[in-house]
């Protein structure tokens, strides 16, 4: 297919250079008693893998950036459609890396349209911002009817294992969630210039090496708030949850990215089981 079935358009003056415009479009549809990946469109460097998952009742799509990372001027676009009553998981093969830029921004844009009665898990692996990286990322979701979504992102500030600490760069991350076409939540995080001071400030990130957000969108969101708060960790990972209408928001901060990833995954596994009666385990690719 040529991608015309997917909304892949989004313009930004911040992206003047388009070196590798990677595109991925996916549509899941209900066929009899199961969901299938009905349509796929892909353009390098983005690829879509559909591994066999004998222990997982839902189809799994894995997004892969075959370029190995994102440099200044790159643009990655993903469009996802779930038809009525479809259910699927979308994740990433590995951590996405935002390399140091000589000036242009790196653009990552994702759009998801979730039909009535559908269930989506959109939980890519962490994004690592290298020192000097410039990331603009946008996620737009339109959730219809009684559909439900579990979605999130993790951002790591530097290559901790190599002793790198982010001291400069750009993070401009934005979420837009619509239910039945009505905007119910928008959120923006913008860090620009001297990121070192912002990350160290006790009134901001207080030295955190990683940050994460997880959303649950559903009519029963308020009823799930106590459950999520019971799952929140103590100790080196700071976390909090709140609810606004059909949206339950959980955030994490930690000086230790690997600990944050563990808690993020543990919460995801517990919630998918409690919310959708699915196995309380993560896709195997998360453990590779």
């Amino acid at each position: 297919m040529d991608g015309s079935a997917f909304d892949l358009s989004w313009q930004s003056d911040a992206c003047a250079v388009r070196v590798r415009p990677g595109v991925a479009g996916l549509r899941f549809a209900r066929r009899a008693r199961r969901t299938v990946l009905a349509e796929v469109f892909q353009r390098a460097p983005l690829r879509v893998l559909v591994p066999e998952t004998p222990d997982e009742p839902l189809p799994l799509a894995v997004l892969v950036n075959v370029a190995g990372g994102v440099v200044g001027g790159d643009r990655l676009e993903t469009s996802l459609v779930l038809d009525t009553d479809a259910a699927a998981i979308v994740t990433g093969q590995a951590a996405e890396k935002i390399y140091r830029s000589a000036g242009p921004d790196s653009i990552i844009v994702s759009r998801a349209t979730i039909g009535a009665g559908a269930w989506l898990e959109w939980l890519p692996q962490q994004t690592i911002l290298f020192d000097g990286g410039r990331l603009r990322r946008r996620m737009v979701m339109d959730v219809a009817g009684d559909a439900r979504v579990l979605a999130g992102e993790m951002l790591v500030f530097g290559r901790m294992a190599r002793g790198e600490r982010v001291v400069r760069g750009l993070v401009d991350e934005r979420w837009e969630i619509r239910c039945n076409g009505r905007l119910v939540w928008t959120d923006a995080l913008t860090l620009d210039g001297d990121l070192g001071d912002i990350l160290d400030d006790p009134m901001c990130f207080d030295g955190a090496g990683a940050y994460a957000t997880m959303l649950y969108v559903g009519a029963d969101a308020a009823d799930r708030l106590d459950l999520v708060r019971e799952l929140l960790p103590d100790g080196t990972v700071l976390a909090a949850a709140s609810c606004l209408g059909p949206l339950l928001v959980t955030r994490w901060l930690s000086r230790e990215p690997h600990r944050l990833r563990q808690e993020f995954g543990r919460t995801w596994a517990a919630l998918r089981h409690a919310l959708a009666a699915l196995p309380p385990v993560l896709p195997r690719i998360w453990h590779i």
Side-chain angles (χ1 to χ4, degrees), residues 50-65:
V50 188
E52 294 184 2
T53 54
D55 300 329
E56 172 57 56
L58 301 186
L60 170 66
V62 180
L63 299 176
V64 182
N65 179 3

Side-chain angles (χ1 to χ4, degrees), residues 221-232 241 243 248 271:
D223 297 332
R224 305 297 185 170
L225 180 58
D226 289 342
L227 168 63
V228 173
R229 286 176 171 170
E230 290 174 1
L231 293 170
L232 298 182
C243 190
L248 198 163
L271 282 179

Side-chain angles (χ1 to χ4, degrees), residues 32 51 69 82 102 129 140 151 162 166 179 182 208 220 245 267:
L82 264 68
L129 181 72
V140 178
R162 299 191 61 175
V166 172
C179 291
R182 182 176 67 88
D220 60 341
T267 303

Side-chain angles (χ1 to χ4, degrees), residues 214-272:
M214 183 182 291
L215 309 177
Y216 170 60
V217 185
D220 60 341
D223 297 332
R224 305 297 185 170
L225 180 58
D226 289 342
L227 168 63
V228 173
R229 286 176 171 170
E230 290 174 1
L231 293 170
L232 298 182
D234 296 322
T236 60
V237 179
L238 301 177
S242 59
C243 190
L244 177 65
L247 188 76
L248 198 163
V249 184
T250 308
R251 300 195 195 269
W252 290 266
L253 279 177
S254 179
R255 294 173 182 263
E256 303 177 22
H258 71 283
R259 289 291 306 278
L260 189 151
R261 187 178 188 276
Q262 289 172 352
E263 293 298 335
F264 185 93
R266 184 180 66 85
T267 303
W268 172 14
L271 282 179
R272 73 190 309 260

